[in-house]
Amino acid sequence: PALLEEKRILVNRSGLIEFIPPETGIDQVGGLPIMKSWLTERRKLFQMRDQIAADIVPKGVLVMGISGCGKSLVIKAIANCFELPLYRIDMVAIFSGRFGRPEQAFADACHMLEAMAPAVVWFDEIEAAISTQAKEGELGRIFGFFLTWMQEKTRGLFVGATANRIDLLPAEMIRKGRFDEVFFVDLPLDDERLEIFRVHLRRRGVDFSGFNLDPLKKFTKGWTGAEIEQCVVSALTTARLQDRDLTDEDLLNATASVVPLSKTMKEQVDKIRDWAFD
């Protein structure tokens, strides 16, 4: 703990890297069974990184998908699963110009992280920051450095990158060898939505053993995990204002006030899903 605290002070002082406390366990992620089992298997290999060949040590994952479906949550869970500190590179700060030329700031941040190994490194919404703020030529140079760094970086760093629009990323970035695996996080299925409801009720100390959650499947079709969380918060607020415990009826009533992203941004969500399906 003393060493981690020292590292936290050091990276937070840089302004480019943020230390994220590893509070999210893998049991707090609803659904995503394939990704969970993949991470659990790779944890053993990562912990043996000094005794095995470098090419089978896990390098990292790219998680793409619809906003609000748990991409960031998964990266936080990886750090907890691997029992490592989590550092987030602030891409917006890098392109802001406050820390000098973006290429240099990005390279400095990556080299600083190598000194912090072992750790999990989180590049959040990697395509958004780059595509909206990079000047002509900067994008190519930063991606060039990043691809080389991914190939050559120290064994003790596991990279978790998230992207909402993977189609904006260059093909060489998502080819096999850069990341161990690319995962698409889709809208949760019926049973996964109920699992997410249980996760959020459990986190808030609600005893739901007598609840009938099955009717929620029908009313939450096309919902993201973030919308389910807001539904639970809204139902809890109603119950607390009336000085009583939460009931399953409160949850059902709360579903009426949520308009899901898959309706309000239907074309955009469908486009991302169609692209991933192909």
Side-chain angles (χ1 to χ4, degrees):
L3 183 64
L4 283 181
E5 180 59 19
E6 202 62 40
K7 286 182 175 182
R8 184 188 70 79
I9 292 166
L10 198 62
V11 294
N12 284 358
R13 202 181 292 151
S14 75
L16 289 168
I17 307 168
E18 180 190 357
F19 173 81
I20 312 274
E23 295 162 351
T24 307
I26 208 151
D27 56 330
Q28 288 177 24
V29 179
L32 308 181
I34 298 170
M35 201 189 306
K36 283 180 183 171
S37 65
W38 187 91
L39 286 172
T40 312
E41 287 165 5
R42 295 307 185 280
R43 172 175 59 187
K44 186 182 172 190
L45 285 177
F46 194 81
Q47 287 169 345
M48 292 164 57
R49 60 188 173 276
D50 295 327
Q51 292 103 48
I52 57 176
D55 53 354
I56 60 169
V57 176
K59 295 184 187 74
V61 289
L62 175 59
V63 184
M64 61 107 17
I66 297 151
S67 185
C69 284
K71 298 187 297 294
S72 305
L73 190 73
V74 166
I75 305 296
K76 291 176 184 174
I78 291 172
N80 194 298
C81 177
F82 284 17
E83 296 172 350
L84 292 174
L86 175 64
Y87 300 108
R88 186 175 81 93
I89 288 202
D90 190 342
M91 299 300 284
V92 176
I94 281 169
F95 284 103
S96 68
R98 295 200 313 269
F99 302 95
R101 283 173 40 242
E103 303 104 295
Q104 193 56 51
F106 186 69
D108 290 346
C110 289
H111 291 317
M112 184 182 222
L113 285 164
E114 293 207 57
M116 296 289 164
V120 175
V121 187
W122 175 16
F123 292 90
D124 193 17
E125 294 194 10
I126 196 164
E127 89 297 355
I130 288 174
S131 60
T132 54
Q133 301 188 42
K135 295 189 183 79
E136 196 62 46
E138 267 178 12
L139 181 62
R141 289 193 295 273
I142 283 182
F143 266 127
F145 171 80
F146 182 69
L147 296 178
T148 309
W149 181 78
M150 277 290 290
Q151 208 79 29
E152 308 297 328
K153 67 178 171 55
T154 179
R155 288 183 187 199
L157 286 181
F158 186 88
V159 173
T162 59
N164 287 330
R165 295 282 307 279
I166 202 173
D167 51 317
L168 297 177
L169 298 174
E172 62 269 25
M173 188 170 180
I174 55 176
R175 75 157 175 80
K176 282 287 186 187
R178 304 291 184 204
F179 293 97
D180 299 311
E181 204 59 78
V182 178
F183 287 103
F184 175 69
V185 180
D186 200 358
L187 294 170
L189 305 170
D190 287 358
D191 290 337
E192 290 176 330
R193 290 199 300 278
L194 292 193
E195 195 184 331
I196 295 167
F197 267 110
R198 291 187 196 103
V199 166
H200 287 301
L201 290 168
R202 213 177 290 122
R203 268 183 62 197
R204 288 160 178 81
V206 175
D207 177 19
F208 54 88
S209 50
F211 286 17
N212 177 20
L213 299 176
D214 275 355
L216 289 168
K217 287 182 187 176
K218 181 183 164 189
F219 294 106
T220 58
K221 271 215 180 322
W223 281 33
T224 65
E227 286 154 358
I228 291 171
E229 181 176 15
Q230 286 315 302
C231 176
V232 171
V233 170
S234 174
L236 265 172
T237 306
T238 304
R240 292 287 178 268
L241 286 172
Q242 296 174 14
D243 276 334
R244 58 179 177 77
D245 288 337
L246 182 77
T247 65
D248 44 10
E249 207 168 302
D250 291 324
L251 290 170
L252 273 176
N253 293 338
T255 60
S257 61
V258 177
V259 181
L261 192 71
S262 58
K263 269 190 184 166
T264 53
M265 307 284 281
K266 189 175 189 309
E267 291 80 8
Q268 200 177 323
V269 169
D270 286 349
K271 188 181 172 190
I272 295 171
R273 294 183 79 193
D274 292 345
W275 187 92
F277 186 79
D278 289 339

